[in-house]
């Protein structure tokens, strides 16, 4: 089961997300929160696999809550997907800096939301091509690759190829199909790349791929 916490200050939104997720046999909504402080409390208490986090909430907003959850080593296994009505560049950059694993807008199709939760639970980052494009454009405003990253020299040719596909927002399954690999092999490549480059998550790999010129042709 994929355990989920829903954090949004609108009860109707929370109820809608709960109904959608619980219609799937592998989802369990373990708690809801209406404020940032409640979100931190519920996540600390239940340690879910995924948090659906609104940005604008009273009592500490979603970015504040995301930073605190991401900074807690005991919650390292929890992935945060920002779900908001605001599709502004600043929110994308701030959410990624705060430690979010994905970013979706609230008018996302229900099937895409369900896929987003599964992707995040599997350890992948979820950034749609449009969001990825805006994220990369924000690089000139202070969003940078992780400290300690110097070059791609430690990577093999295959790993560089995989990194380029990660930079385009592909999941492990999509990379496996593109390169005629098994999903496990693709996941192993991504894990090794993260280790070699000192990246915290796939989103930082997107940034590195951009800075090293592996992403183009949007």
């Amino acid at each position: 089961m994929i355990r989920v916490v829903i954090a949004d200050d609108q009860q109707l939104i929370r109820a809608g997300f709960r109904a959608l997720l619980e219609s799937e046999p592998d989802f369990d909504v373990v708690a809801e929160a209406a404020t940032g402080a409640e979100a931190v409390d519920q996540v600390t208490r239940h340690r879910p696999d995924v948090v659906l986090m609104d940005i604008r909430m009273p009592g500490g907003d979603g970015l504040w809550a995301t930073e605190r959850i991401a900074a807690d080593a005991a919650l390292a296994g929890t992935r945060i997907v920002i779900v908001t009505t605001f599709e502004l560049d600043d929110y994308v950059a701030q959410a990624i800096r705060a430690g979010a694993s994905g970013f979706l807008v609230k008018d996302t199709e229900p099937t895409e939301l369900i896929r987003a939760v599964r992707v995040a639970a599997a350890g992948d980052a979820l950034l749609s091509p449009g969001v990825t494009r805006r994220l990369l454009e924000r690089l000139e405003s202070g969003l940078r690759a992780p400290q300690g990253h110097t070059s791609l020299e430690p990577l093999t040719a295959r790993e560089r190829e995989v990194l380029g596909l990660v930079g385009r927002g592909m999941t492990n399954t999509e990379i496996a199909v593109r390169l005629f690999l098994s999903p496990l092999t693709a996941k192993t490549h991504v894990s090794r790349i993260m280790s070699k480059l000192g990246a915290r998550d796939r989103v930082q790999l997107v940034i590195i791929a951009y800075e090293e010129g592996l992403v183009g042709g949007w």
Side-chain angles (χ1 to χ4, degrees):
M1 295 291 289
I2 298 174
R3 304 171 73 251
V4 182
V5 167
I6 300 170
D8 195 292
D9 63 337
Q10 298 184 50
Q11 185 175 358
L12 285 177
I13 295 292
R14 297 198 308 271
F17 284 170
R18 176 184 281 273
L20 175 63
L21 295 177
E22 291 188 339
S23 69
E24 298 292 315
D26 55 336
F27 288 141
D28 179 19
V29 178
V30 296
E32 298 179 13
T35 70
E38 286 181 8
V40 174
D41 180 64
Q42 295 292 359
V43 171
T44 301
R45 180 179 304 173
H46 295 281
R47 299 191 182 186
D49 301 299
V50 177
V51 184
L52 294 180
M53 183 81 75
D54 187 24
I55 285 183
R56 290 194 173 179
M57 294 186 290
D61 64 16
L63 297 176
W64 175 88
T66 296
E67 288 175 348
R68 278 148 186 79
I69 293 168
D72 189 339
L75 301 175
T78 296
R79 305 294 179 179
I80 301 169
V81 176
I82 300 292
V83 186
T84 183
T85 55
F86 303 96
E87 201 175 86
L88 302 179
D89 295 346
D90 283 343
Y91 285 119
V92 177
Q94 290 177 48
I96 299 311
R97 288 193 192 101
S101 295
F103 187 99
L104 294 171
V105 291
K106 287 183 178 176
D107 61 0
T108 296
E109 292 294 327
T111 54
E112 182 65 14
L113 178 63
I114 290 171
R115 186 180 81 87
V117 175
R118 291 199 174 106
V119 166
D124 287 343
L126 185 104
L127 291 169
S128 67
V131 169
T132 301
R133 190 177 304 115
R134 291 195 303 277
L135 168 63
L136 297 180
E137 289 169 352
R138 294 294 297 176
L139 287 168
E140 296 306 318
S141 299
L143 192 60
R144 290 290 183 266
Q147 293 184 352
H149 160 66
T150 54
S151 72
L152 303 184
E153 186 175 344
L155 303 186
T156 65
R158 174 62 93 182
E159 287 169 346
R160 294 187 187 204
E161 188 175 13
V162 170
L163 178 58
L165 298 179
V166 171
R168 289 178 173 272
M170 290 190 179
T171 66
N172 290 343
T173 299
E174 291 168 337
I175 292 171
V177 172
R178 174 69 69 89
L179 299 182
F180 303 100
L181 305 171
S182 72
L184 179 59
T185 299
K187 182 177 181 179
T188 299
H189 279 310
V190 172
S191 296
R192 287 176 178 169
I193 293 168
M194 290 176 62
S195 177
K196 289 181 178 181
L197 299 183
R200 179 191 68 205
D201 54 31
R202 293 174 73 101
V203 175
Q204 289 193 335
L205 291 185
V206 171
I207 297 170
I208 293 172
Y210 174 82
E211 292 192 335
E212 294 293 340
L214 298 181
V215 179
W218 294 102

